[in-house]
Amino acid sequence: MRTRVCYLAHFPSSFLFCITLLQAATFASSANAFQERDRVALLAFKSMISHEPEGMLNSWNDSHHFCKWEGITCGRRHRRVTILDLNSRGLVGSLSPHLGNLSFLREMDLSNNSIRGEIPHEFGRLFRLEALYLFNNSLVGKISPNLSYCSRLTSLSLEGNNLVGNIPTEFVSLHNLKKLALKNNNLTGGIPPFLGNLSSLDKLSLAYNAFEGNIPESLNLLKQLEFLGLGSNNIHGSVPPSFYNLSSLTVISLPQNQIHGILPPSLGLTLPNLQFFQISENFFAGSIPVSLSNASKLEWIEMFGNNFSGKLSVDFSGMKHLSFLNVGSNNLGSAEDDEMRFINSLVNCSNLDTFAINENLFTGALPHSIANLTSQLHNLFVGSNKIYGNIPSGISNFVNLELLDIADNLITGKIPKEMGKFQNLRAILLYQNKLSGEIPSCLGNLSALENFDLGENKLSGAIPSSLGKLKQLLSLSISQNELSGSIPKEIFNITTMPVGLYLDKNHLVGSIPPNIGDLTAISEIDVSDNSFSGEIPRELGFCSSLEGLYMQGNFFYGSIPQSLSSLREGQVPTKGIFANASGASVAGNTRLCGGIAKFGLPNCTNNNPNKKKISRVSKILLSTASAFSGLLLVSFIIYCWLKNGRRKQKQPSSSTPGKTLLKVSYKSILQATNGFSSTNLLGVGSFGSVYKGNLDQDGTIVAIKVLNLQQRGALKSFMVECKALRNIRHRNLVKIITSCSSIDFQGNDFKALVYEYMPKGSLEKWLHPALEIKNEEVEVRKLSLLQRISIGIDVASAIDYLHHHCKEPILHCDLKPSNVLLDNDMIAHVGDFGLVRFQPEISNPNKSSSVGARGTTGYAAPEYGLGNEVSTNGDVYSYGILLLEMVTLKRPTDLIFEGDLNLHNFARTSLPDRIMNIVDPVLLYDDDEVSTMNHRLRQIRISNIMECLISLVRIGVACSMESPQDRMNVTDALHELQSVRKILLEHTSM
């Protein structure tokens, strides 16, 4: 009995133990099932990524638990995915709906990639999600209202995509939301009043969209709001007065809208925490409130482009952190004796970087106190006012000054010699004043100067020869003065000056020095209305980039040099004698374009005779946009554009679209690319994306490279590319039109480069064509042998120029078919200078360094993989591989190349007898005339083609030798290719 009792007594505990084991097993089974669902979801995401340059997703395999995969963070207890962080990895692809199964996910960060498609509705199942970062991608479609089910969301950032439609009304339930960033999309509709109910909101960023209507008064309910960005929309009406009572606000950014009204007198009292105040390019009127003096935390004041008027009475002395002050392009000014006194209060602003009061009605002399402004000042704009008196000599204290604009005023006296101390000065604009005396020779010491305009003054004496030392000059204008003497030949030593030389309307005499032909990069020369004599120099024909030449009103004699026939095409007028075909003849002038229809001339590309003219200074600034910083550049370009028409201007060039652009702001680039639409996307590179765009209204197409500044090395790439393209000009290099170095209204940097558009695309697409549907027909691209040889010559010419004919030798470091672009005439242009290196940076080519591999796998020289420094030999290797790829149609990364077999060995071992086994078969019979020849001529022709192909392969092999010292020099390769083309053409014409 006791035994049985004992047995019965122990039964319950054994039973419970079994139940516990069963529960544990069930829990483990359930946990494993949920973990498996996470793993499957991640692999589904991986499967929809088509390109991933870093190879990071290779770690996503079954050799490790998914919690150890790169970019994945799991919870300790459940081993479920809590964080997915793959930002700035260069990912190309789309979002998998299976990501909605990551039910423990708290944060998803896929920002700064190239992810396309729509945001899956399944993301609404992520009920634990607190932060969703998808900004700076290429997402399309509407914002999924299902995201409103993610009730724990505190941060939602979808900015920098191509999203359309309204902000979903369902978002009214996101009561935990603190940050809502939707800027840089194509969103429409009004700003929803329900946003005022999201009481936790502290950041609202809706800039660069197409929102319309008024600013909802309900926003005044957001008592924790610190950041409000509504810039660059279609918002109109006035700002609700109660809005100015949100004392928590630190950033107010409303520029580029249609907002009107006045600022409340108490503005600086009710917004004590304000740091960033940006209301430029609206319709605000009235006076600037004196109470702004109390906003002591202000760092950025930007009010240009409004209708503010009256006296500027703000006391800036309490704004210790003020760095940017721009009230330009208004109607400020009272004509009172002390209206310039406010400058005195800026003396205490020790961080002031930019001071701009241009394009107003300020009257009076510049106070001497301006010389006491901080030496940290980089940009000073006081142009286009009614300022008189002398230029204070004390401004020489601005040792860091980069841009000085005192133009279009009533300034008298001489140019202070102290200005020769501005070693960092990039632009000096003193035109349209009453300056007299001689041009100080010490201005030749401004070694960084790029833009120099002293036009329309009363300067006398000779042109200082010292100006020839300004090797960085892009434009020099001393027109419409009283200068005398001859042109110093040293002026023409500035061989890289690309914009223009303007000496017109002076009293200059003598002949034009023959070394004017050294200005091979210049676009415009104006020596009209002087007293020059002698013959027109034949050396002008060497100015291969010249587009505008003005020599009228002088005493030249003799004939027009035959060498001018080598210059670019010119536009025939449609008025005057050219309006009648019987009154003029253009026969034999093959480089002419335009004119009336009866002349039968081709249309002038990128030219519109009715296009609005652009001022000379705007041309200057547009060509050096990268040299100036942020919104300062945009505001100054706008200022110069508004001044357009006040100065006499030349007709814009017919062949350079960049010189007719109104401005290059973020907004204009956004509009030009249809909101960075995927349909405009031309390609994605390591540091950004390239879009097809239209920056003006006449149909001129450009290519716009938008830098992904979150990508490591992108900013350095931008600066390097600007430096390279600013100083080089060659017919076989892609031409940069301008650049945009700006910031958005939330203070984020934005940088882009604008290039001449190459309508025939890249060499990569011609060598490895996809079937393209055009007009419902399938087009297959083919390159003839002659075209391939010519492209090889073009590329070699570009590399030879970079290596041997630049003032500062340049290494491209990323030569490959996708970086070779073709124009309408199938002329090749080398582009993408984001990885260039300059010769002074380069040491011994055999020296080991931390630079590592440069360029692209397959095209980069083998020594780079060993850590050797870059060299000209590395570019030659890339060129050799490119040449072999053109002949064989084999990429260096082709799957057939394994082990020791590579493209170089593949080609080398075929020489000379087995050449037919490796070349593109199209090249053997690429001429339609071959089939019509008799047998003997056909054999001669084929033999000639074979000879050319063997030569091409030999050159490619010689350039791509493994040892750098064994490679052919690019100059020799160029000469040999030219000989090959000559042989082919001679036999073709037989």
Side-chain angles (χ1 to χ4, degrees):
M1 188 68 178
R2 294 178 71 183
T3 303
R4 186 173 183 181
V5 170
C6 182
Y7 171 77
L8 291 174
H10 283 82
F11 177 80
S13 62
S14 302
F15 177 76
L16 290 175
F17 178 70
C18 293
I19 292 296
T20 301
L21 290 177
L22 181 60
Q23 289 177 333
T26 303
F27 177 80
S29 176
S30 177
N32 289 336
F34 283 120
Q35 288 184 21
E36 176 62 15
R37 190 163 69 169
D38 280 8
R39 189 185 72 86
V40 170
L42 294 174
L43 291 178
F45 166 74
K46 176 183 177 181
S47 70
M48 297 186 71
I49 299 300
S50 59
H51 179 64
E52 190 260 309
E54 296 182 4
M56 173 271 306
L57 292 180
N58 292 334
S59 70
W60 288 27
N61 57 60
D62 290 336
S63 62
H64 301 286
H65 189 275
F66 63 79
C67 289
K68 296 184 179 180
W69 293 353
E70 190 169 351
I72 302 299
T73 301
C74 291
R76 294 181 179 180
R77 180 182 177 188
H78 298 289
R79 303 295 287 167
R80 300 288 304 282
V81 178
T82 57
I83 299 176
L84 172 59
D85 184 358
L86 297 175
N87 78 83
S88 305
R89 298 301 186 107
L91 302 179
V92 179
S94 56
L95 295 173
S96 171
H98 290 276
L99 289 177
N101 293 330
L102 300 176
S103 56
F104 273 64
L105 196 66
R106 295 197 308 270
E107 179 180 328
M108 182 191 300
D109 189 351
L110 300 175
S111 56
N112 296 311
N113 285 293
S114 296
I115 297 176
R116 304 169 184 171
E118 298 186 354
I119 300 173
H121 295 296
E122 289 79 1
F123 279 17
R125 298 204 298 259
L126 302 173
F127 64 91
R128 288 186 173 91
L129 194 65
E130 298 174 5
L132 178 60
Y133 303 112
L134 299 176
F135 59 87
N136 291 348
N137 279 286
S138 300
L139 297 170
V140 297
K142 297 183 178 181
I143 300 174
S144 174
N146 285 11
L147 290 177
S148 62
Y149 294 121
C150 304
S151 58
R152 296 186 186 181
L153 267 179
T154 60
S155 295
L156 177 60
S157 180
L158 306 178
E159 55 197 300
N161 284 287
N162 301 310
L163 300 171
V164 297
N166 301 334
I167 299 176
T169 56
E170 291 82 355
F171 279 15
V172 70
S173 64
L174 295 176
H175 295 295
N176 293 307
L177 198 61
K178 293 183 177 181
K179 294 177 173 58
L180 178 61
L182 304 177
K183 68 173 183 176
N184 300 352
N185 280 288
N186 300 313
L187 299 174
T188 54
I191 298 174
F194 73 74
L195 292 178
N197 296 327
L198 304 182
S199 57
S200 297
L201 209 60
D202 60 37
K203 177 179 180 179
L204 179 60
S205 175
L206 306 179
Y208 292 111
N209 279 287
F211 290 117
E212 299 176 336
N214 299 327
I215 299 175
E217 190 166 358
S218 60
L219 294 187
N220 68 351
L221 300 174
L222 301 175
K223 302 304 181 182
Q224 299 185 49
L225 192 65
E226 298 178 2
F227 185 111
L228 178 66
L230 303 179
S232 194
N233 280 289
N234 298 314
I235 299 171
H236 52 78
S238 60
V239 178
S242 57
F243 172 80
Y244 294 111
N245 293 323
L246 293 175
S247 59
S248 59
L249 279 170
T250 61
V251 174
I252 297 177
S253 180
L254 309 175
Q256 294 180 314
N257 280 291
Q258 302 171 41
I259 304 172
H260 58 77
I262 62 173
L263 298 177
S266 59
L267 177 69
L269 299 173
T270 57
L271 296 174
N273 295 307
L274 197 59
Q275 299 175 18
F276 191 102
F277 189 46
Q278 186 181 42
I279 58 173
S280 54
E281 295 185 90
N282 277 290
F283 298 102
F284 286 100
S287 60
I288 296 177
V290 179
S291 68
L292 205 61
S293 308
N294 296 289
S296 59
K297 296 181 181 180
L298 271 170
E299 301 176 15
W300 191 285
I301 302 175
E302 185 181 317
M303 300 182 177
F304 74 83
N306 281 287
N307 297 316
F308 289 115
S309 59
K311 187 176 182 179
L312 182 58
S313 301
V314 176
D315 183 352
F316 298 97
S317 59
M319 302 177 190
K320 305 297 184 182
H321 305 290
L322 187 64
S323 64
F324 189 96
L325 173 60
N326 188 344
V327 294
S329 302
N330 279 288
N331 297 309
L332 293 169
S334 63
E336 297 180 22
D337 292 340
D338 64 343
E339 77 169 356
M340 305 297 287
R341 182 183 298 176
F342 70 93
I343 293 179
N344 299 340
S345 66
L346 288 167
V347 172
N348 292 333
C349 303
S350 58
N351 294 320
L352 193 63
D353 175 272
T354 296
F355 174 46
I357 59 172
N358 49 280
E359 193 74 19
N360 276 290
L361 302 174
F362 288 112
T363 303
L366 289 174
H368 292 292
S369 62
I370 195 171
N372 297 325
L373 296 183
T374 174
S375 60
Q376 300 303 314
L377 194 68
H378 285 86
N379 307 287
L380 176 61
F381 303 100
V382 298
S384 292
N385 281 287
K386 298 179 180 180
I387 298 173
Y388 52 77
N390 296 341
I391 300 175
S393 59
I395 67 171
S396 60
N397 296 333
F398 302 149
V399 293
N400 292 303
L401 200 65
E402 294 185 11
L403 201 156
L404 174 64
D405 169 31
I406 313 180
D408 192 13
N409 276 294
L410 304 170
I411 303 294
T412 56
K414 298 182 178 181
I415 300 174
K417 293 182 180 180
E418 289 83 359
M419 292 178 65
K421 299 178 181 179
F422 293 153
Q423 293 302 307
N424 296 314
L425 198 64
R426 294 179 177 273
I428 179 170
L429 307 177
L430 302 178
Y431 62 81
Q432 274 193 346
N433 278 291
K434 297 182 179 180
L435 294 168
S436 58
E438 298 185 349
I439 300 174
S441 60
C442 61
L443 296 184
N445 297 328
L446 304 179
S447 57
L449 200 62
E450 297 176 352
N451 307 305
F452 192 11
D453 197 336
L454 304 179
E456 299 179 62
N457 279 287
K458 297 182 179 180
L459 299 171
S460 58
I463 300 173
S465 61
S466 61
L467 298 187
K469 296 189 296 183
L470 303 176
K471 302 302 183 182
Q472 301 299 318
L473 266 189
L474 303 176
S475 176
L476 172 61
S477 174
I478 47 180
S479 62
Q480 300 187 50
N481 278 285
E482 298 174 3
L483 299 170
S484 58
S486 58
I487 304 178
K489 63 180 181 180
E490 290 82 2
I491 294 294
F492 303 121
N493 291 337
I494 314 174
T495 57
T496 58
M497 183 162 50
V499 178
L501 174 64
Y502 306 98
L503 308 177
D504 54 291
K505 295 181 178 61
N506 280 288
H507 307 300
L508 301 172
V509 298
S511 59
I512 304 296
N515 65 330
I516 193 173
D518 292 340
L519 301 180
T520 56
I522 201 163
S523 297
E524 201 167 56
I525 298 175
D526 191 347
V527 295
S528 63
D529 298 316
N530 280 287
S531 297
F532 290 118
S533 58
E535 295 187 345
I536 298 175
R538 64 178 181 85
E539 288 81 4
L540 275 171
F542 301 150
C543 301
S544 57
S545 298
L546 194 62
E547 300 167 358
L549 176 61
Y550 307 93
M551 306 186 76
Q552 68 271 18
N554 283 288
F555 300 100
F556 294 116
Y557 57 80
S559 59
I560 298 176
Q562 180 66 28
S563 61
L564 295 187
S565 64
S566 64
L567 298 179
R568 296 187 174 189
E569 66 179 39
Q571 181 180 16
V572 176
T574 57
K575 299 179 180 180
I577 192 173
F578 292 100
N580 188 343
S582 62
S585 173
V586 295
N589 293 289
T590 58
R591 292 180 179 268
L592 295 180
C593 64
I596 61 177
K598 289 186 178 181
F599 286 147
L601 297 173
N603 293 328
C604 293
T605 57
N606 300 330
N607 193 19
N608 183 350
N610 297 318
K611 189 182 299 181
K612 189 173 183 181
K613 295 182 180 180
I614 190 168
S615 67
R616 183 179 295 167
V617 69
S618 295
K619 290 183 182 182
I620 293 169
L621 289 171
L622 287 172
S623 59
T624 59
S626 63
F628 308 111
S629 61
L631 290 170
L632 167 65
L633 169 68
V634 178
S635 61
F636 193 64
I637 290 177
I638 295 170
Y639 151 54
C640 294
W641 184 253
L642 291 172
K643 285 174 5 77
N644 188 41
R646 292 192 178 190
R647 307 190 64 202
K648 178 182 179 296
Q649 301 132 15
K650 298 292 188 298
Q651 178 70 25
S653 160
S654 63
S655 60
T656 310
K659 294 179 181 173
T660 58
L661 300 180
L662 303 183
K663 61 179 180 179
V664 186
S665 64
Y666 179 91
K667 182 178 182 180
S668 62
I669 289 180
L670 185 73
Q671 293 172 338
T673 59
N674 293 322
F676 305 115
S677 169
S678 58
T679 59
N680 287 52
L681 187 66
L682 297 176
V684 178
S686 301
F687 300 119
S689 303
V690 180
Y691 296 87
K692 183 179 180 181
N694 179 2
L695 278 174
D696 51 21
Q697 302 301 317
D698 71 336
T700 300
I701 304 299
V702 294
I704 303 173
K705 179 178 180 180
V706 178
L707 278 296
N708 177 3
L709 296 180
Q710 303 300 320
Q711 182 69 35
R712 183 182 302 172
L715 179 59
K716 180 179 179 181
S717 171
F718 173 80
M719 301 306 295
V720 167
E721 193 156 5
C722 285
K723 179 181 178 181
L725 293 171
R726 186 183 68 197
N727 296 315
I728 58 178
R729 288 179 71 92
H730 191 275
R731 72 186 294 268
N732 297 123
L733 295 177
V734 172
K735 183 176 182 180
I736 188 170
I737 295 172
T738 186
S739 63
C740 177
S741 181
S742 183
I743 59 177
D744 61 29
F745 300 126
Q746 283 68 46
N748 299 318
D749 285 339
F750 173 82
K751 298 188 184 297
L753 295 161
V754 182
Y755 301 94
E756 187 176 7
Y757 177 63
M758 295 288 117
K760 294 296 185 181
S762 70
L763 177 61
E764 166 78 17
K765 293 182 179 179
W766 282 84
L767 296 179
H768 310 288
L771 295 181
E772 299 185 0
I773 305 300
K774 293 186 177 180
N775 299 324
E776 299 182 355
E777 295 180 359
V778 177
E779 176 190 13
V780 179
R781 297 171 169 176
K782 294 181 180 179
L783 290 172
S784 68
L785 177 58
L786 180 58
Q787 285 176 320
R788 298 187 207 200
I789 294 174
S790 297
I791 291 171
I793 290 173
D794 290 341
V795 177
S797 297
I799 300 303
D800 180 59
Y801 167 79
L802 294 174
H803 287 184
H804 305 299
H805 302 288
C806 289
K807 174 185 175 182
E808 190 176 13
I810 295 173
L811 309 185
H812 187 276
C813 297
D814 197 19
L815 191 62
K816 56 186 177 182
S818 60
N819 287 340
V820 176
L821 305 174
L822 305 171
D823 64 18
N824 264 325
D825 298 320
M826 297 300 290
I827 295 173
H829 304 256
V830 175
D832 196 344
F833 287 78
L835 294 180
V836 298
R837 293 284 298 277
F838 299 89
Q839 190 67 51
E841 303 172 357
I842 302 164
S843 56
N844 184 349
N846 295 319
K847 178 182 176 182
S848 178
S849 76
S850 60
V851 172
R854 302 282 295 206
T856 302
T857 301
Y859 301 95
E863 63 269 19
Y864 292 174
L866 301 176
N868 289 352
E869 260 290 7
V870 295
S871 69
T872 55
N873 290 323
D875 276 356
V876 172
Y877 178 89
S878 301
Y879 175 73
I881 295 298
L882 182 146
L883 199 61
L884 293 177
E885 184 173 352
M886 280 201 293
V887 177
T888 64
L889 289 190
K890 297 290 185 186
R891 291 188 176 96
T893 55
D894 195 290
L895 294 178
I896 70 168
F897 300 132
E898 297 179 347
D900 293 332
L901 182 62
N902 54 32
L903 181 55
H904 168 85
N905 296 334
F906 176 71
R908 178 176 55 81
T909 55
S910 71
L911 288 171
D913 300 331
R914 294 189 293 115
I915 198 72
M916 291 184 66
N917 296 338
I918 70 164
V919 302
D920 180 6
V922 172
L923 298 179
L924 298 174
Y925 302 98
D926 72 330
D927 193 338
D928 292 338
E929 296 181 4
V930 173
S931 60
T932 63
M933 294 178 179
N934 61 44
H935 179 72
R936 189 181 71 84
L937 289 178
R938 187 184 302 117
Q939 291 302 112
I940 294 175
R941 174 65 173 149
I942 293 175
S943 175
N944 168 240
I945 291 174
M946 290 298 298
E947 179 183 352
C948 292
L949 289 172
I950 291 172
S951 297
L952 283 177
V953 174
R954 285 191 188 278
I955 296 169
V957 167
C959 289
S960 58
M961 297 293 287
E962 183 172 358
S963 173
Q965 292 76 17
D966 294 338
R967 293 171 197 156
M968 178 182 287
N969 183 282
V970 71
T971 307
D972 295 336
L974 172 60
H975 292 159
E976 290 203 22
L977 280 173
Q978 289 170 334
S979 298
V980 173
R981 181 168 63 179
K982 182 178 179 181
I983 292 172
L984 183 65
L985 290 173
E986 286 176 349
H987 285 274
T988 301
S989 60
M990 66 183 179

